[in-house]
Amino acid sequence: MPLLFAHLMQTGFGGFYDGIAHLFLTPSDLLLVLGLALLAGQQGPQGGRLLLTLLPLSWWIGLAVGQLWGLDLTLALLSTVLFTSVGVLVALSLRLSVQVLAFTVAGSGLLFGLINGFTMPSASSGLPLDVLGVVSAVALLSVLISAQVAATRSTSFCIAVRVAGSWIAAAGMMSLGLLLKA
Amino acid sequence: MRRVLLPLLMVAALLMPRLVSAHDLFPGFLELQATGASTYQVLWKLPLLQGQRLPIAPRFPDDCALQGAPFSRQEATALVYQAKLSCREPLEGRVISIDGLASAGTEVLLRVRPWQTEALQTLLIQPEQPEAVIPTASEADQQPGVWSYLRLGIEHILLGVDHLLLLLGLVLIVRDGWMLLKTVTAFTLANSITLSVSAVGIVQVPAAPLNAAIALSILFIGTEVVRFTRGQTSFTLRHPWVLACGFGLLHGFGYARGLAELGLPHHELLLALLLFNVGIEIGQDVFVVLVLALERAFRQLQIRWPVWVRRVPAWTIGCAGAYWTIETTVSLIKGGV
């Protein structure tokens, strides 16, 4: 199992909180959501709204498909490349068209949801609370960060956002190096 | 679109409380008091969930055996067993496991008083690791012990959908920052008072009417949120801190009931009570901050919700409150006080 991926952990607070913890304790997922939230926020309120609509939805779809297939695919390289690229885009502070942003967000959500689906067994009965937890955490983090970035006009804050993007890219490049070496 | 979504949302709101039942703190409780070097008095509280026994049971080492038939009695939310346990060797340093814990999804609070010592050791056994090693006397100081009550407090509020819905309702009807501070403080102080007096046994409130009253408080706050979203006003909307104070007193009894089922360690009573209360306050504050942060983020993203979407929280709170009120009132009538 690659370095930056984790199975569903158990908090002892039940499935919903296990799902939330899964996002925060899986560095690759967390870096992607942070990167996408920063990127969407850089595009203004419209980018944030698009992210809030598309990312949780695509993540959920990917997760459901991943659970349905139940395969153990290794998509580490692809997902690492993806969040590294998002970090680079944030660092460059590029203005993206709505279509490109929507494609990036939906594609990322589907891919990472798919990977989550492989690691999380589907609930035999009742509500899939762990899935609900992951998707809620994705939505919450997306809306909180993208809103803050979209609303703040301060130059130093914009620079800080770009620096954060460069750190995400750097973390991705280090992971890529480790993956290729392994 | 609206004609389709509206009934769907109402059905979802009506089904929600059935799916996410108005929780309670349902940890099991196992106490082992040494009466000799390797003999113990066992107290086992098996939680009842909606009248059904949770399928969990303690498993002792193979060289241990229960002496005689265990004495049992039924309490409001638990079956209590008492028995004598005799082992060939002391239990210190050995493993006790809880069968069925992983599937039951609950926890067990384990308290051990070793032979010839007053030190009471407290451990929390969780579903992901349904066993614990009884600490030796030298290890006892390193155990989380009474700190387990902090976690139980946080857990009680985070899993308490009924308490969270009441908090959500209170946050939704308060618009002014100063009033919000007053409201949250009133709620905190009020529930701390009743939690304390109830947990130490000064006041005893029967479970069935208490549950019905808590459910009714959620239904009431739901109607107030609806009134608020319609732009109407009322005494409670003008003075929400009064409402928060009253409902805080009520919900404090609810918090205490879970704690009372566990029993508090007598020599650390105040500390355990304080930690449980702090845990509850941490959970409440995190939830309130989260709701406010979300509301602010939606404003920053210039999201304009349609009127019917803005009414969804009120419907959810109201429907859940109505469902639980009917359910708990029926239980009250059936079972008596």
Side-chain angles (χ1 to χ4, degrees):
Chain A
M1 183 61 65
L3 282 174
L4 291 179
F5 294 85
H7 283 284
L8 185 66
M9 64 89 62
Q10 289 189 306
T11 59
F13 288 114
F16 183 72
Y17 294 99
D18 292 349
I20 292 175
H22 179 67
L23 177 70
F24 288 96
L25 294 173
T26 312
S28 59
D29 293 16
L30 186 62
L31 288 173
L32 177 87
V33 176
L34 285 175
L36 285 174
L38 296 173
L39 185 66
Q42 284 176 328
Q43 317 303 313
Q46 193 194 10
R49 292 196 295 269
L50 190 138
L51 182 76
L52 179 62
T53 313
L54 279 185
L55 189 62
L57 186 67
S58 57
W59 204 293
W60 195 321
I61 293 169
L63 226 158
V65 172
Q67 282 189 330
L68 199 68
W69 284 358
L71 301 172
D72 193 7
L73 290 183
T74 306
L75 301 169
L77 196 63
L78 183 58
S79 52
T80 309
V81 168
L82 193 59
F83 80 75
T84 308
S85 312
V86 170
V88 171
L89 288 174
V90 174
L92 294 174
S93 189
L94 287 181
R95 290 296 292 185
L96 303 175
S97 68
V98 175
Q99 289 82 0
V100 171
L101 183 65
F103 181 77
T104 309
V105 169
S108 310
L110 278 173
L111 179 71
F112 277 71
L114 205 63
I115 297 167
N116 275 192
F118 296 149
T119 61
M120 293 163 63
S122 56
S124 53
S125 63
L127 274 178
L129 287 175
D130 46 359
V131 171
L132 197 63
V134 172
V135 176
S136 300
V138 167
L140 194 73
L141 207 58
S142 302
V143 71
L144 290 180
I145 294 176
S146 64
Q148 195 56 53
V149 175
T152 311
R153 295 273 173 270
S154 144
T155 313
S156 52
F157 186 79
C158 293
I159 292 170
V161 169
R162 294 179 69 173
V163 169
S166 70
W167 285 351
I168 292 170
M173 283 174 200
M174 280 194 289
S175 303
L176 277 175
L178 289 169
L179 277 172
L180 293 174
K181 194 181 170 193
Chain B
M1 184 71 173
R2 184 181 159 175
R3 282 180 189 171
V4 177
L5 277 174
L6 209 61
L8 275 178
L9 278 167
M10 289 189 75
V11 169
L14 279 168
L15 287 176
M16 191 274 288
R18 187 188 291 269
L19 297 169
V20 186
S21 60
H23 87 93
D24 245 313
L25 182 69
F26 283 115
F29 176 70
L30 179 63
E31 187 174 80
L32 299 169
Q33 293 223 36
T35 52
S38 56
T39 55
Y40 299 85
Q41 181 67 38
V42 181
L43 175 75
W44 167 237
K45 281 190 182 180
L46 175 64
L48 296 172
L49 186 60
Q50 293 170 341
Q52 301 294 313
R53 300 175 189 193
L54 283 182
I56 57 174
R59 179 188 291 273
F60 300 107
D62 290 340
D63 63 314
C64 296
L66 293 174
Q67 304 295 307
F71 166 77
S72 67
R73 67 174 190 276
Q74 182 158 358
E75 292 183 351
T77 56
L79 279 174
V80 181
Y81 297 94
Q82 281 177 292
K84 286 180 180 165
L85 182 74
S86 181
C87 303
R88 284 199 198 120
E89 294 173 24
L91 283 175
E92 284 82 33
R94 303 172 71 192
V95 175
I96 285 183
S97 55
I98 307 292
D99 288 345
L101 197 63
S103 56
T106 187
E107 296 169 337
V108 170
L109 195 73
L110 170 64
R111 283 221 305 261
V112 184
R113 190 190 297 279
W115 176 233
Q116 288 182 327
T117 172
E118 282 303 303
L120 194 65
Q121 297 158 12
T122 307
L123 301 166
L124 194 64
I125 305 180
Q126 295 168 332
E128 58 266 30
Q129 193 179 355
E131 57 185 31
V133 179
I134 305 289
T136 58
S138 59
E139 291 168 340
D141 292 341
Q142 298 162 13
Q143 296 300 318
V146 78
W147 287 97
S148 303
Y149 285 90
L150 182 77
R151 183 192 159 93
L152 284 171
I154 297 173
E155 180 179 335
H156 187 59
I157 196 75
L158 291 184
L159 297 181
V161 181
D162 45 357
H163 300 308
L164 292 180
L165 283 181
L166 182 89
L167 276 174
L168 176 65
L170 284 174
V171 174
L172 289 177
I173 62 172
V174 182
R175 278 286 153 257
D176 170 53
W178 171 240
M179 185 58 85
L180 182 66
L181 187 67
K182 262 168 71 176
T183 305
V184 171
T185 308
F187 188 76
T188 298
L189 288 178
N191 70 47
S192 300
I193 291 167
T194 43
L195 168 61
S196 305
V197 296
S198 183
V200 297
I202 297 171
V203 178
Q204 297 291 332
V205 180
L210 175 67
N211 284 343
I214 288 176
L216 197 61
S217 71
I218 296 157
L219 175 59
F220 182 83
I221 199 85
T223 61
E224 289 303 294
V225 180
V226 170
R227 194 171 290 176
F228 179 82
T229 53
R230 285 178 180 165
Q232 298 167 344
T233 188
S234 66
F235 176 79
T236 49
L237 290 179
R238 286 192 300 276
H239 309 283
W241 66 273
V242 177
L243 184 75
C245 189
F247 286 175
L249 290 171
L250 194 63
H251 281 248
F253 283 123
Y255 300 151
R257 209 162 60 76
L259 192 57
E261 291 303 322
L262 296 174
L264 283 162
H266 289 294
H267 73 294
E268 290 171 322
L269 186 137
L270 280 179
L271 186 58
L273 185 57
L274 179 72
L275 287 172
F276 186 78
N277 200 8
V278 168
I280 281 179
E281 299 313 328
I282 290 172
Q284 284 179 176
D285 292 345
V286 166
F287 181 74
V288 169
V289 168
L290 206 57
V291 171
L292 292 175
L294 265 180
E295 201 179 27
R296 182 167 175 265
F298 290 147
R299 266 201 318 274
Q300 286 172 327
L301 289 181
Q302 298 162 21
I303 298 174
R304 305 203 201 295
W305 301 109
V307 174
W308 64 269
V309 173
R310 274 183 267 156
R311 288 183 180 162
V312 166
W315 292 340
T316 308
I317 297 169
C319 288
Y323 179 86
W324 288 327
T325 302
I326 294 165
E327 187 187 41
T328 50
T329 307
V330 169
S331 305
L332 179 65
I333 294 166
K334 271 185 183 173
V337 179

